Amino acid sequence: MNLNSETLGPIRRILAVGGVALAGSIALTGCGILEDAASDSATDNEVSEEQVDAVADAKVGDCLPEEMISADPSIFAVECSDPTAFWTITAFEADPGLTANTDGSSLTDPQPVFDMCGETVGAQVPGATWTDWSMIYDQTTYTVDYIFCVESNGVPSSLGTNPVVPAAGDCFNSMAAEYQYGTLPCDSPDVDSTVVDVVEVDPAEWMGADANAEALAADCSGDYTAYLPAVDQFGRTAAVYCLA
């Protein structure tokens, strides 16, 4: 339940940025279909006082569950041998002097995320292991208390996908509301897309490249019937998939 911050002090919550659904589109040649999946609710992201205290002891190498917040209100990180461990913390900073934007979806300026986690954090780079970032911030002032970067430790997601961005020859479910596109066995009943070819985008041109997806898809080879710009949480397109 939501507690009144006026009587109990500021509520802090975790921002599971990976929970923001992919804003991509699948298009048959010459026609686009935009789809938006629902984002996580605020109540799922609230951090207990005990967890806020536990975050202070977090460090690089610790593991987190897929949702980036433990179901146990007294702990933050989980043992890396725990079956729920999905992410490994690769960078961590307390009191970074940053401000969350007013809807809690990101920072007012995402550049510190790239500086801390690397320019490819969260990007849909074919063949890359999933990476992401998150933060804990004050819902009243939007001051960021902690920010951290994570990388998948390789276990399948809750939907059974391999946490690796699809590359040529891979299969996936384009409709799955996950952190990123992940691969599935091509004989899985959940598969709706097979990657025939990939047109990778120069990193300098990632921002807004989805608007040029049809032109980029002209470089697709093989017998493809649709194309998909792989747009990440920052609006960057690292690749256009040529799909069967």
Side-chain angles (χ1 to χ4, degrees):
M1 89 183 154
N2 288 320
L3 301 178
N4 189 323
S5 61
E6 294 180 359
T7 58
L8 296 177
I11 296 172
R12 288 184 170 86
R13 72 168 190 156
I14 193 166
L15 171 65
V17 173
V20 177
L22 296 165
S25 61
I26 290 183
L28 297 176
T29 303
C31 141
I33 305 171
L34 183 65
E35 61 191 25
D36 294 308
S39 62
D40 287 348
S41 69
T43 53
D44 291 337
N45 291 343
E46 287 182 7
V47 181
S48 70
E49 291 295 330
E50 294 90 345
Q51 285 172 324
V52 171
D53 292 340
V55 176
D57 297 323
K59 60 186 183 301
V60 171
D62 284 351
C63 291
L64 301 175
E66 186 173 354
E67 299 79 10
M68 295 197 202
I69 182 169
S70 174
D72 185 334
S74 65
I75 64 173
F76 175 64
V78 298
E79 294 293 331
C80 291
S81 59
D82 191 292
T84 66
F86 187 86
W87 301 104
T88 299
I89 297 175
T90 57
F92 183 91
E93 185 175 351
D95 300 319
L98 301 172
T99 303
N101 60 17
T102 54
D103 67 1
S105 63
S106 189
L107 297 175
T108 52
D109 175 7
Q111 187 57 48
V113 178
F114 304 141
D115 293 341
M116 183 176 182
C117 306
E119 292 289 337
T120 61
V121 61
Q124 302 285 331
V125 178
T129 301
W130 285 1
T131 56
D132 209 343
W133 71 284
S134 196
M135 63 187 174
I136 292 175
Y137 70 99
D138 188 308
Q139 284 185 303
T140 302
T141 65
Y142 302 103
T143 299
V144 177
D145 299 295
Y146 303 95
I147 186 170
F148 51 93
C149 315
V150 294
E151 182 173 3
S152 170
N153 60 19
V155 302
S157 74
S158 59
L159 295 183
T161 57
N162 182 30
V164 174
V165 182
D170 289 332
C171 299
F172 67 103
N173 183 341
S174 65
M175 302 294 288
E178 293 195 292
Y179 306 100
Q180 293 180 272
Y181 295 123
T183 63
L184 288 166
C186 287
D187 59 357
S188 168
D190 295 323
V191 165
D192 68 3
S193 302
T194 299
V195 182
V196 175
D197 193 16
V198 176
V199 179
E200 296 199 40
V201 180
D202 187 311
E205 299 175 358
W206 282 1
M207 188 58 69
D210 57 314
N212 301 318
E214 185 173 357
L216 290 165
D219 290 333
C220 290
S221 62
D223 187 16
Y224 77 99
T225 58
Y227 64 89
L228 170 68
V231 186
D232 69 18
Q233 62 191 260
F234 300 107
R236 305 174 301 173
T237 300
V240 173
Y241 288 124
C242 318
L243 305 175

